[in-house]
Amino acid sequence: MSACYNPFSIKGRCLLIFLGILLICPGTLEANLKKPVFAKQKKTIVLDPGHGGHDKGALGPDGTFEKNVTLDLARMLATELNNTYRVILTRTDDYFLNIPSRTSMANHVKADLFISIHSGGSFLHQASGITLYFFKEILESTLTPNIDPSRPFKEINNRSPWSNIQNRHQASSKILAQLMLNRINEQTIFKKSEILDAPLMVLEGADMPAVCLEIGYITNPAEEKSLQDISVLSNIAQGIRNGIDNFFEKVR
Ligand SMILES: [Zn+2]
């Protein structure tokens, strides 16, 4: 009979008092029930594999398309990040997506980071190295027309509806670029690496810290070979992931 409820015992009286408090203050229980189990939400990262569909990007001497390398790396990076972050890819397969749609997607999901992935293309086969770009608006008269993802604004009719909103995130984007490059350099064999600012259209409409990576030059025969190597891409993905972790440790 010990399991039965006896209202005259001490335990029974305590239970009655407790139920009375809940009846008088129903909001207390309601508030407790509404508390999220996990107070800390996962950060959202949007990965943007450059090009796709008929837009093949740069072409390597051995026939490798930039659009395929960017998607391969984005998928690997998503796997790296998935346990810790909420990861969204702007494109998940080989189809065309215009540039404003990419940042629009990141803005609509209120992403914490936007990372656009490219590889360099040049008529000069010796052009090489990894470059991380952050956005910086410049005067039209000084625009340089030879940067792949940064096509000058005047050449593109469908500008982002969030034109130049990235300006407000310039400082944090630069920090993100530096941290990512530091950690990529620990993982890869690319001899040259640098950070540049540029008026990249793929970044201008992003309303969060954002960088564009050019992971080597696919038009450079040696680097094309590296970019065909799954272990090299995996190392780059690991470096990017470490840099992202460092960024959130720093800005938290
Ligand atoms: Zn590209």
Side-chain angles (χ1 to χ4, degrees):
M1 292 297 285
S2 60
C4 292
Y5 165 61
N6 177 359
F8 301 107
S9 69
I10 294 174
K11 273 187 187 172
R13 271 178 268 168
C14 289
L15 184 60
L16 281 173
I17 292 167
F18 175 67
L19 289 173
I21 290 170
L22 287 183
L23 283 172
I24 295 164
C25 316
T28 311
L29 180 62
E30 198 181 349
N32 282 333
L33 289 175
K34 278 183 181 172
K35 266 189 187 172
V37 179
F38 301 106
K40 210 166 86 176
Q41 276 205 324
K42 281 185 174 181
K43 302 279 187 189
T44 300
I45 298 174
V46 170
L47 303 177
D48 174 44
H51 310 281
H54 68 265
D55 175 12
K56 298 178 174 63
L59 174 64
D62 196 29
T64 310
F65 287 123
E66 180 187 355
K67 65 172 184 175
N68 294 331
V69 173
T70 60
L71 186 58
D72 286 347
L73 180 61
R75 284 173 173 162
M76 275 188 198
L77 186 52
T79 305
E80 279 283 338
L81 296 168
N82 256 330
N83 285 340
T84 317
Y85 305 100
R86 176 183 171 226
V87 182
I88 296 167
L89 270 66
T90 55
R91 71 173 174 99
T92 54
D93 216 324
D94 184 18
Y95 49 83
F96 177 75
L97 195 63
N98 68 31
I99 292 176
S101 300
R102 297 168 188 261
T103 38
S104 296
M105 199 180 293
N107 291 342
H108 281 131
V109 299
K110 299 189 187 317
D112 297 283
L113 290 185
F114 176 77
I115 297 168
S116 190
I117 299 167
H118 289 257
S119 68
S122 171
F123 292 112
L124 304 171
H125 277 189
Q126 65 268 34
S128 65
I130 293 183
T131 309
L132 267 70
Y133 292 97
F134 66 93
F135 182 79
K136 187 179 181 186
E137 194 179 8
I138 57 170
L139 295 172
E140 287 185 10
S141 58
T142 58
L143 286 174
T144 51
N146 59 347
I147 301 168
D148 161 48
S150 69
R151 291 170 226 169
F153 298 153
K154 286 186 95 175
E155 287 184 6
I156 296 174
N157 297 322
N158 51 348
R159 289 192 64 180
S160 162
W162 291 284
S163 180
N164 291 340
I165 203 166
Q166 177 61 199
N167 278 333
R168 68 169 80 166
H169 303 286
Q170 190 183 91
S172 51
S173 295
K174 189 177 178 181
I175 291 169
L176 174 65
Q178 187 63 64
L179 291 169
M180 282 171 60
L181 192 61
N182 291 348
R183 303 306 302 273
I184 291 170
N185 281 339
E186 292 173 358
Q187 300 282 340
T188 63
I189 54 167
F190 291 87
K191 286 177 185 165
K192 189 178 150 199
S193 64
E194 61 183 343
I195 292 174
L196 295 175
D197 56 60
L200 304 188
M201 187 173 177
V202 75
L203 299 179
E204 67 157 345
D207 192 13
M208 71 284 303
V211 297
C212 175
L213 295 105
E214 281 197 342
I215 48 156
Y217 274 74
I218 205 164
T219 45
N220 177 311
E223 293 196 349
E224 180 190 25
K225 204 169 179 183
S226 291
L227 295 172
Q228 291 169 328
D229 186 336
I230 296 295
S231 65
V232 172
L233 290 185
S234 173
N235 286 343
I236 294 172
Q238 182 66 54
I240 296 169
R241 190 244 150 85
N242 292 342
I244 290 170
D245 288 346
N246 288 165
F247 178 78
F248 285 123
E249 286 158 16
K250 207 176 174 78
V251 302
R252 241 171 223 155

